[in-house]
């Protein structure tokens, strides 16, 4: 349909970037990026009208996004800048020079191909820089030596594509990447941008192997200040990933924090602030890690001590952010007692409720105040320890 509309407007439109790469590789990719030889906003508005789709424009960038259909699938439109106009019948290099220029400013050859969706040459692949050959050779290659200088976040992208597709970073590109890291250019990546790139990695299966690779390439100081990769993560991380898939997926958790817990459990406290600032994380994130680091010794002692009553385990667990409890579950995978206790907390104890409620306490003539929360908590603990079984027993305890 967009193709027909392009014909009506006599505007050449191409599918570009990651979706072309994934189409050729046979990977799913639902991000449609289109490049328009002309005014992208004008064309997108025209398409929006015809498709009755929601349109968002970004005037300063000359780009627009459409949200189409029930599932609001996103289609991005960008302009290939028209610095001079191709005339009909011009040789192909001239005719497609705007497209070529647009593709040349991209990160890697495999991401710098376009497929025309204009009816006259529908489906034709435009590959000016050998992207197709690099896809076949499984190589990640920059288009020009300044690629990482233009956007140092591309170093992280290179690692993502390398691992995700099982490709290799071509030797010259690798030497440029290493130089970029050595020269400290990664420090220039803005926190929000950095967080986005890391999030893209954290969503992938085996996300930890990407983190390990970033460490191996000496990027950690610029991405995760105060963190290093430790050999026990090789065992811990796959366990954590399994837990996330099998047990934690239905919880309301901060998955960024959860997936970072191994690194953060070993961070020097002095570096925590720098870490949070580098990735523009929230105050809440900071205080959750701080709480864990402060309470970890007590938590681990109580989990392992044979004599700890369930209510004591409950108490200490309830102080720890859930993300770190899942981490501790992975860490204590081989310790039956501690593991069972965390499981009990996660699946049972935290949901135990006393029968009595605030209004019951009021009826018992107990004066209102913060004491209510305290009593209800004591009742909950007594239930967890199986010290009370009935409403009557709860009343007796509450009065006491
Ligand atoms: N791009 C670039 N430099 C960047 C980021 C993006 O040149 N630092 C270009 C690439 O051509 C890329 C396209 O913009 O293909 C779209 O970027 P994005 O949607 O972030 O990535 P994809 O390549 O689509 O990959 P994925 O969907 O796996 O993130």
């Amino acid at each position: 349909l967009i193709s027909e509309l392009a014909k009506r407007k006599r505007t050449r439109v191409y599918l570009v970037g990651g979706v072309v790469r994934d189409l050729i590789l046979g990977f799913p990719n639902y991000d449609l990026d289109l490049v328009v030889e002309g005014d992208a906003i004008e064309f997108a508005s025209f398409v929006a009208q015809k498709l009755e789709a929601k349109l968002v424009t970004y005037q300063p960038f000359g780009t627009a996004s459409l949200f189409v259909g029930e599932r609001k699938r996103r289609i991005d439109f960008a302009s290939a800048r028209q610095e001079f106009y191709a005339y009909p019948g011009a040789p192909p290099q001239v005719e497609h020079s705007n497209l070529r220029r647009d593709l040349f400013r991209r990160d890697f050859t495999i991401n710098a191909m376009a497929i025309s969706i204009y009816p006259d040459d529908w489906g034709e692949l435009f590959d000016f820089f050998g992207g197709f050959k690099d896809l076949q050779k499984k190589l990640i290659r920059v288009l020009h030596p300044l690629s990482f200088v233009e956007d140092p976040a591309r170093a992280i992208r290179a690692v993502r594509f390398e691992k995700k597709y099982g490709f290799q970073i071509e030797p010259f590109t690798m030497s440029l990447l290493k130089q970029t890291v050595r020269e400290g250019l990664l420090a220039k990546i803005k926190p929000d941008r950095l967080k986005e790139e890391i999030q893209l990695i954290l969503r992938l299966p085996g996300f930890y192997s990407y983190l390990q690779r970033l460490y191996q390439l000496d990027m950690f100081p610029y991405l995760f200040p105060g963190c290093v990769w430790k050999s026990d993560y090789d065992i811990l991380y796959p366990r954590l990933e399994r837990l996330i898939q099998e047990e934690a997926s239905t919880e309301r958790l901060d998955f960024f924090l959860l997936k970072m817990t191994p690194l953060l459990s070993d961070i020097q406290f002095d570096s925590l602030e720098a870490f949070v600032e580098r990735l523009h994380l929230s105050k809440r994130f900071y205080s959750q890690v701080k709480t864990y680091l402060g309470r970890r010794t007590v938590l681990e002692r109580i989990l392992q001590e044979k004599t700890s009553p369930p209510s004591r385990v409950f108490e200490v667990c309830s102080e720890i952010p859930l993300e770190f409890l899942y981490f501790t579950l992975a860490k204590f995978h081989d310790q039956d007692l501690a593991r069972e206790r965390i499981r009990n907390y996660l699946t049972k104890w935290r949901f135990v409720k006393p029968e009595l409620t605030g209004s019951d306490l009021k009826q018992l003539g107990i004066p209102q105040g913060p004491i209510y929360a305290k009593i209800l908590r004591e009742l909950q603990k007594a239930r967890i320890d199986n010290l009370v079984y009935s409403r009557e027993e709860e009343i007796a305890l509450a009065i006491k």
Side-chain angles (χ1 to χ4, degrees), residues 17-18 21 29 33 106-107 111 151 154 157 160 193:
R21 172 199 70 216
N29 188 326
D33 282 324
R106 290 169 184 266
D107 52 0
N111 290 340
D151 180 2
R154 288 174 173 171
R157 292 171 62 84
R160 176 154 60 88
R193 181 73 209 292

Side-chain angles (χ1 to χ4, degrees), residues 16-22 28-31 33 76 102-108 110-113 143 147 150-155 157 160-161 164-165 193 196-197 200 204:
V16 293
V19 64
V20 175
R21 172 199 70 216
D22 286 341
N29 188 326
Y30 302 105
D31 289 339
D33 282 324
D76 290 325
D102 179 276
L103 295 174
F104 186 64
R105 44 172 197 86
R106 290 169 184 266
D107 52 0
F108 306 114
I110 57 168
N111 290 340
M113 290 181 279
L143 291 155
S147 188
E150 275 171 12
D151 180 2
R154 288 174 173 171
R157 292 171 62 84
R160 176 154 60 88
F161 296 131
K164 181 172 172 190
Y165 298 115
R193 181 73 209 292
E196 270 170 37
E197 284 298 339
L200 288 175
L204 296 169

Side-chain angles (χ1 to χ4, degrees), residues 4-58:
E4 277 168 32
L5 298 174
K7 182 80 181 177
R8 268 170 62 186
K9 283 276 169 191
R10 299 189 174 287
T11 304
R12 290 193 168 269
V13 181
Y14 309 86
L15 211 51
V16 293
V19 64
V20 175
R21 172 199 70 216
D22 286 341
L23 264 176
I24 298 172
L25 286 174
F27 268 70
N29 188 326
Y30 302 105
D31 289 339
L32 290 185
D33 282 324
L34 298 179
V35 160
V36 176
E37 289 210 33
D39 187 329
I41 294 182
E42 195 187 305
F43 183 67
S45 315
F46 177 64
V47 177
Q49 245 176 30
K50 300 285 172 199
L51 291 183
E52 294 181 15
K54 184 172 176 250
L55 173 76
V56 180
T57 62
Y58 311 94

